Amino acid sequence: MNQAVAPAAPSQAEMRAALESYVARINSGDRDGILALFSPDAIIEDPVGSPAKAGEAITAWFNDTIAFATQIRSVAPIRGSHGNAAALMFDVTFQPPGGPAMLIRSLDVCTFDREGRITSLKAYWGPEDMEVLAR
Amino acid sequence: MNQAVAPAAPSQAEMRAALESYVARINSGDRDGILALFSPDAIIEDPVGSPAKAGEAITAWFNDTIAFATQIRSVAPIRGSHGNAAALMFDVTFQPPGGPAMLIRSLDVCTFDREGRITSLKAYWGPEDMEVLAR
């Protein structure tokens, strides 16, 4: 048989590249580029402990992300795994409408499908990891 | 009724304190102190993608941790969540017997029981997050 077999998991480099693109596309306000990094059936739990979002709720989530001028600054090298997961540690700032700018010290743990698309994103941050920035 | 009700999850401060104790006890070689931070039915998946350890395998794991002179250096503030999870981002160095010292850029995502004990620890690091240190 000369049949190509898809690998069970993306490579470390593919997962890393996807997370680096995620940061770059958020910082440049590229909503469609961000959505292209996700599997159609992806779920987002942000923060962990809140209900998971999927489908159109994810589109709406990233509409807000762009509208709020969200900027991500990575604070440590991306971590891989020995499976289909990788993690991004970052500080994120954003400007909600009518309110002061905010900063959250966050951490996204993501899983990926064989094509290197994000299938789940879980953001670890608690009430004490958020602060109000001076105007 | 004047009955105390246990909270569903430990506080952010309790989870943070447990992870800070975890770092301090590893760095001081306090094996029993480390084990006391875990629930009796805790599991450890280190790295993510490898089989989970429990019970005596966890005791053996931390025996090695101490024997290998493991040192942890936190690289970013601990992240909490809106549930019973928190995360520690760190570089870890250790000296396996007969080999060179190693460094791993890792990330522990932990869940906790009501008493603030660790019920699961998942360590995110891939083959590319490990390096051999000069002797």
Side-chain angles (χ1 to χ4, degrees):
Chain A
M1 304 292 285
N2 190 19
Q3 198 171 358
V5 175
S11 70
Q12 300 290 305
E14 285 172 309
M15 295 191 291
R16 214 172 282 270
L19 291 181
E20 288 168 352
S21 294
Y22 178 72
V23 173
R25 293 173 189 183
I26 284 183
N27 288 350
S28 66
D30 176 8
R31 200 278 310 255
D32 292 346
I34 298 166
L35 291 173
L37 296 172
F38 286 79
S39 155
D41 58 354
I43 61 112
I44 292 181
E45 184 180 345
D46 186 348
V48 168
S50 68
K53 290 175 270 287
E56 292 188 3
I58 289 181
T59 302
W61 173 260
F62 286 116
N63 283 340
D64 284 349
T65 297
I66 304 305
F68 296 177
T70 301
Q71 293 287 301
I72 285 181
R73 186 176 64 86
S74 181
V75 298
I78 289 167
R79 267 61 169 156
S81 70
H82 285 63
N84 66 338
L88 177 72
M89 287 128 283
F90 58 98
D91 289 348
V92 55
T93 57
F94 56 100
Q95 173 70 61
M102 305 291 295
L103 179 145
I104 299 177
R105 289 176 288 277
S106 191
L107 157 65
D108 285 351
V109 174
C110 294
T111 56
F112 297 82
D113 64 14
R114 296 178 178 197
E115 290 75 37
R117 295 176 305 183
I118 298 169
T119 51
S120 70
L121 182 159
K122 296 189 177 190
Y124 291 84
W125 61 272
E128 298 169 14
D129 300 319
M130 176 185 255
E131 59 184 73
V132 175
L133 298 177
R135 281 173 190 268
Chain B
M1 304 288 286
N2 191 19
Q3 198 170 359
V5 176
S11 70
Q12 300 290 305
E14 284 171 310
M15 296 191 291
R16 213 173 282 269
L19 291 180
E20 288 168 352
S21 294
Y22 179 72
V23 173
R25 292 174 188 183
I26 284 183
N27 289 350
S28 66
D30 177 8
R31 201 278 310 259
D32 292 346
I34 299 167
L35 292 173
L37 296 171
F38 286 79
S39 156
D41 57 353
I43 61 113
I44 292 183
E45 185 181 344
D46 186 347
V48 168
S50 68
K53 289 175 271 289
E56 292 187 4
I58 289 181
T59 303
W61 172 260
F62 286 117
N63 283 340
D64 284 351
T65 297
I66 303 307
F68 296 177
T70 301
Q71 293 288 304
I72 285 181
R73 187 176 64 84
S74 180
V75 298
I78 290 167
R79 269 59 171 158
S81 69
H82 287 61
N84 67 337
L88 177 72
M89 287 129 282
F90 58 98
D91 289 348
V92 55
T93 57
F94 56 99
Q95 173 70 61
M102 307 290 295
L103 178 146
I104 299 177
R105 289 177 287 278
S106 191
L107 157 66
D108 286 351
V109 174
C110 294
T111 55
F112 297 81
D113 65 14
R114 295 177 179 199
E115 288 76 39
R117 295 176 304 181
I118 298 169
T119 51
S120 70
L121 182 158
K122 296 189 176 191
Y124 291 84
W125 60 273
E128 299 169 11
D129 299 321
M130 175 184 257
E131 61 183 71
V132 176
L133 298 178
R135 282 172 189 268

